[in-house]
Amino acid sequence: MKALTWHGTHDVRVDTVDDPEIINPRDAIIKVTSTAICGSDLHLYDGVIPAVRPGDILGHEFMGEVMETGKDSTLTKGQRVVVPFTISCGGCFHCKMQQYSCCDNSNPAEKQDMSATLYGHPMSALFGYSHLTGGYSGGQAEYVRVPFSDVGPIVVPDHLDDDRVLFLSDILPTGWMGAENADIQPDDTVAVWGCGPVGLFAIQSALVMGASKVIAIDHYPNRLALARQLGAEVIDFRGTDVREALMEMSGGIGVDAVIDAVGMEAHGFAPDNVIDIAKQKIGMGADRAAALKQAILAVRPGGRVSIPGVYGGMTDKFPLGAMMEKALQVRGGQTHVQRYTKDLLEKIEDGTLDTTFLISHRLPLEDAARGYKCFREEQDSWTKVVLKPGMELGQTK
Ligand SMILES: [Zn+2]
Ligand SMILES: [Zn+2]
């Protein structure tokens, strides 16, 4: 089959590789019909995630048709399913508490050492996201093996086309959990850093949850326009003192909750961020946390800080004093996708949530390398790329 494989920093290729096979009784093989490139795939592309190996198949946002099932799968051939990016067993201590992204059983023992050392406990597994998270082949491919297929995949009705349900795999529940972690109350003013797909879904979710004002912060005009279209007020951080602007927009008090949907590769020209960029480039592993630091300084005393943006290592000069002295509540984490898929599918079906507005490009799988390059270099116009195995080369819609 054809699959998008990693070969080094800024080097991904569509190669011919072996078809996946059923290994465990709970596995299913899915024929991929749509698969998206995620902002967090760019961290792999930029070479800032450790333990990616040449030949690894990327992709953790995908859906398709069930082709084959192991004897303990609950799926049946021909069903259309969306697959969560988190691989979860459903039966361990954490899965039983619906903390699916903390599953104890999905990351094989021999892959657990690095994350256990880094974080104190091993990470659970994710599709297509390095050997730190299990080394599972991802879904930017014609076919993919889905472990624990009785727990993760959600069957979707035929009348909802791929564009409407694909993002249940990651960014919609991630944006939703980002807003939920901000503990939004009616009449809250909420600020969201980053108007990429997760930020935009966090904005939409915060408004659905009753926030009276959502303020979006970015510097790409098109992304800010999408945020405005959803009902947010916007700040272009270039040439604006963000904290001062937020104070003014929140009646001199500060915003009630902040959401960092940027993560470890934050842009910004503050001196400490420039040093972090240099450290990241030479492999000293510093996360660039400029957006998060700004968010912590901008939130009102007693406010909430939610971090759906991805971080992987350590960060320098973190304003821990502000967290303590302002009595902030901080929450983050990889998304417990399986906890949200059923409710969010209902909200898509009844029109509460729209997921199609951010797709800017649909490309054949064969054109995936160009998709990565443009998604990274032309972030203003390439807001979300969906790859379609089987679509003909040269045909874009
Ligand atoms: Zn993703
Ligand atoms: Zn589990």
Side-chain angles (χ1 to χ4, degrees):
M1 68 165 182
K2 293 257 189 297
L4 185 281
T5 56
W6 187 92
H7 290 270
T9 301
H10 302 157
D11 182 4
V12 292
R13 306 171 200 166
V14 176
D15 290 336
T16 300
V17 301
D18 291 341
D19 286 359
E21 288 174 1
I22 299 278
I23 296 175
N24 294 311
R26 293 166 71 184
D27 288 351
I29 304 292
I30 308 293
K31 181 183 183 194
V32 177
T33 53
S34 292
T35 173
I37 304 175
C38 179
S40 60
D41 289 329
L42 294 183
H43 303 318
L44 300 167
Y45 189 65
D46 287 342
V48 297
I49 301 281
V52 196
R53 296 181 192 157
D56 283 354
I57 300 173
L58 307 188
H60 59 268
E61 299 182 357
F62 60 94
M63 63 175 294
E65 187 188 331
V66 178
M67 297 302 286
E68 202 185 332
T69 54
K71 72 174 176 49
D72 294 335
S73 173
T74 49
L75 299 174
T76 51
K77 191 170 186 291
Q79 280 178 322
R80 264 175 93 226
V81 291
V82 180
V83 181
F85 77 97
T86 41
I87 304 175
S88 315
C89 78
C92 71
F93 173 87
H94 296 102
C95 284
K96 281 188 186 147
M97 301 219 295
Q98 293 200 309
Q99 296 176 333
Y100 293 102
S101 75
C102 307
C103 176
D104 274 335
N105 287 326
S106 56
N107 198 350
E110 74 274 15
K111 311 259 184 190
Q112 292 187 356
D113 282 3
M114 190 187 294
S115 58
T117 305
L118 265 174
Y119 308 137
H121 292 80
M123 277 186 86
S124 73
L126 310 175
F127 283 101
Y129 214 77
S130 88
H131 293 262
L132 198 66
T133 67
Y136 287 89
S137 291
Q140 289 164 2
E142 288 181 291
Y143 300 92
V144 59
R145 178 177 77 92
V146 175
F148 305 122
S149 66
D150 53 324
V151 176
I154 180 164
V155 178
V156 291
D158 284 340
H159 68 270
L160 296 176
D161 60 23
D162 283 18
D163 287 356
R164 293 186 67 192
V165 291
L166 170 63
F167 301 141
L168 286 168
S169 56
D170 176 1
I171 53 173
L172 182 62
T174 297
W176 184 268
M177 187 169 117
E180 192 178 83
N181 276 344
D183 192 19
I184 289 162
Q185 308 294 319
D187 301 329
D188 267 358
T189 299
V190 181
V192 180
W193 272 255
C195 297
V198 168
L200 290 167
F201 281 149
I203 290 166
Q204 196 180 30
S205 302
L207 289 166
V208 169
M209 290 174 190
S212 68
K213 191 191 281 190
V214 177
I215 302 162
I217 302 153
D218 206 308
H219 68 292
Y220 292 113
N222 181 46
R223 293 188 176 207
L224 287 171
L226 288 173
R228 202 181 283 117
Q229 191 182 307
L230 290 172
E233 296 179 23
V234 303
I235 295 176
D236 182 340
F237 69 73
R238 289 171 312 184
T240 308
D241 184 318
V242 172
R243 200 194 73 89
E244 254 176 44
L246 289 174
M247 284 297 281
E248 206 168 292
M249 293 162 93
S250 58
I253 292 172
V255 291
D256 300 291
V258 292
I259 299 174
D260 169 11
V262 175
M264 66 198 286
E265 292 190 85
H267 298 275
F269 305 108
D272 60 342
N273 199 50
V274 174
I275 293 168
D276 287 344
I277 291 172
K279 282 190 172 175
Q280 212 168 39
K281 285 222 161 91
I282 58 171
M284 281 180 65
D287 285 342
R288 279 151 49 192
L292 180 57
K293 291 173 189 176
Q294 195 173 59
I296 286 172
L297 295 185
V299 69
R300 72 163 168 81
R304 286 94 56 191
V305 179
S306 164
I307 313 172
V310 173
Y311 292 91
M314 310 284 177
T315 191
D316 295 342
K317 300 164 293 297
F318 192 74
L320 195 56
M323 270 170 53
M324 168 66 196
E325 302 303 343
K326 285 166 67 172
L328 304 182
Q329 296 175 52
V330 182
R331 287 183 181 175
Q334 294 283 3
T335 312
H336 306 304
V337 179
Q338 292 88 334
R339 188 198 286 176
Y340 300 102
T341 41
K342 187 170 167 286
D343 280 358
L344 292 178
L345 178 61
E346 280 170 20
K347 286 188 168 58
I348 290 168
E349 244 185 321
D350 70 17
T352 307
L353 291 171
D354 172 36
T355 60
T356 57
F357 69 94
L358 56 75
I359 301 173
S360 57
H361 295 80
R362 295 172 188 80
L363 304 176
L365 177 65
E366 284 82 351
D367 218 4
R370 185 169 72 93
Y372 268 78
K373 191 172 189 307
C374 294
F375 184 47
R376 180 179 183 278
E377 291 174 5
E378 297 168 45
Q379 297 205 358
D380 188 39
S381 49
W382 288 62
T383 47
K384 190 71 181 174
V385 184
V386 177
L387 305 169
K388 310 280 280 183
M391 183 178 176
E392 284 186 24
L393 205 57
Q395 176 197 354
T396 35
K397 52 172 187 172

